[in-house]
Amino acid sequence: MAVKGWWRRVALVLPLLALGIYTAQYLGWISLGPARATPPGLRYDCPDLARGCAFRINQHMYTLESDAALRPATPFTLTLHGPAVQAEAEWRMPDMDMVPNRARFEAASAGVARLRTALPFCSASRHDWLLYLTLDDQQVIIRTRSRS
């Protein structure tokens, strides 16, 4: 009789556990499966976005700059110059789990898009950031730094 009760508990807990894992993966809290590799040619260093940086994708030049130095909890505007029809950005930190923070650039004029954003809160007090840009389905990773 005690064995039957144990199986019933397992039968109730397993679906709840599966639903929890599915929800966590759907929300981006966990990642199940292999990490997606990014081609090395699509990584660029831009230590100070306030000074701007330039990069090339598919024979098109782009420039990206911020209107101020990157500081934690301080909003700033990113300006993207280039022919992308659609542009999105997401802040990440190397070897850290971050909450999803994807945002879309808005067109300001022909070939210019802007995004008002801020760095996500980081309790590790690190300054190395990765800006994942998606420009018309092409991903670019910009390595940059914030100031304290």
Side-chain angles (χ1 to χ4, degrees), residues 4-118:
K4 284 184 180 179
W6 181 78
W7 282 108
R8 285 183 185 162
R9 286 187 215 129
V10 169
L12 290 173
V13 170
L14 282 179
L16 292 175
L17 182 62
L19 179 63
I21 290 171
Y22 172 79
T23 302
Q25 182 178 8
Y26 178 79
L27 294 174
W29 298 342
I30 62 172
S31 177
L32 301 177
R36 289 177 282 172
T38 303
L42 298 179
R43 291 179 179 261
Y44 296 93
D45 288 322
C46 188
D48 186 0
L49 276 175
R51 289 184 167 181
C53 62
F55 52 91
R56 180 181 298 275
I57 302 174
N58 298 332
Q59 309 305 319
H60 297 288
M61 284 302 298
Y62 289 87
T63 60
L64 179 70
E65 62 187 348
S66 67
D67 65 343
L70 307 186
R71 296 184 191 281
T74 305
F76 53 90
T77 300
L78 290 176
T79 302
L80 177 69
H81 298 268
V85 174
Q86 209 172 42
E88 294 181 342
E90 183 176 359
W91 291 104
R92 298 184 194 174
M93 190 169 271
D95 304 319
M96 297 285 281
D97 289 327
M98 307 294 291
V99 296
N101 60 68
R102 183 174 292 266
R104 185 174 297 216
F105 281 82
E106 293 185 20
S109 62
V112 179
R114 290 196 174 86
L115 170 64
R116 188 78 174 154
T117 186

